[in-house]
Amino acid sequence: MRSLVIGLLVLLLGVVGVARWLPLPERLAIPGSAVVLYANNSPAHVFLSADEKWRIPADLKEIDPHYLQALFALEDERFPLHTGVDVVAVGRAVASNLSAGEVVSGASTLTMQLVRMLEPRPRILKSKVIEAFRATQLEMILNKKEIL
């Protein structure tokens, strides 16, 4: 039993080390769109970002709290509590999918969905494992406010 615990601790430290060593997804470094404002702070013009996307920064304080409540309720009710992977949701999804004999439920957290947007991959089990690792990595380096 002692060897198992030591082995798991070594594995965990190895994963944490790799997560700290690997660079974050490159798309996180792309600056947002330039926004030109009128004197009253309303937008006059928005320029595309360097990757030709609309990336308009938003202050979390400016987002309707009811929207955030709905987002958490629908997408990731334990967002403040998990570290990138919601093991309760994973267990529920595995049980649901096994009992149905097909994929009927997922367990992606908001952080995992961010990873999928930053680094699109085919929707296969291997991709889910990578997304889970990258989500954990993001949660180690960014705070919840930055992830949102």
Side-chain angles (χ1 to χ4, degrees):
M1 182 66 163
R2 187 172 158 198
S3 296
L4 177 64
V5 170
I6 291 171
L8 288 174
L9 283 174
V10 169
L11 178 65
L12 178 63
L13 288 173
V15 169
V16 169
V18 168
R20 289 280 184 189
W21 174 73
L22 276 178
L24 291 176
E26 289 180 22
R27 286 183 56 193
L28 278 177
I30 296 172
S33 298
V35 180
V36 178
L37 302 174
Y38 288 113
N40 66 0
N41 280 339
S42 64
H45 186 79
V46 179
F47 294 91
L48 292 175
S49 64
D51 63 342
E52 301 291 315
K53 305 278 187 219
W54 299 105
R55 298 193 189 283
I56 303 169
D59 187 343
L60 205 51
K61 294 176 206 152
E62 296 174 7
I63 297 175
D64 186 339
H66 294 102
Y67 170 78
L68 292 175
Q69 287 176 337
L71 177 68
F72 297 143
L74 292 170
E75 295 293 334
D76 191 352
E77 62 188 340
R78 284 176 289 281
F79 178 73
L81 306 173
H82 64 68
T83 58
V85 177
D86 183 349
V87 283
V88 174
V90 170
R92 177 199 38 79
V94 168
S96 297
N97 296 340
L98 287 176
S99 69
E102 62 180 335
V103 176
V104 293
S105 177
S108 289
T109 62
L110 288 172
T111 312
M112 291 173 74
Q113 292 176 40
L114 173 61
V115 169
R116 192 166 47 247
M117 288 180 0
L118 294 171
E119 301 175 321
R121 292 181 177 81
R123 304 289 300 266
I124 58 175
L125 184 58
K126 178 183 174 187
S127 297
K128 278 288 190 197
V129 171
I130 294 169
E131 287 168 11
F133 173 80
R134 292 295 261 176
T136 303
Q137 179 190 26
L138 284 179
E139 294 263 353
M140 289 171 54
I141 296 168
L142 304 175
N143 64 44
K144 295 289 187 175
K145 190 176 176 181
E146 292 170 319
I147 290 168
L148 285 175

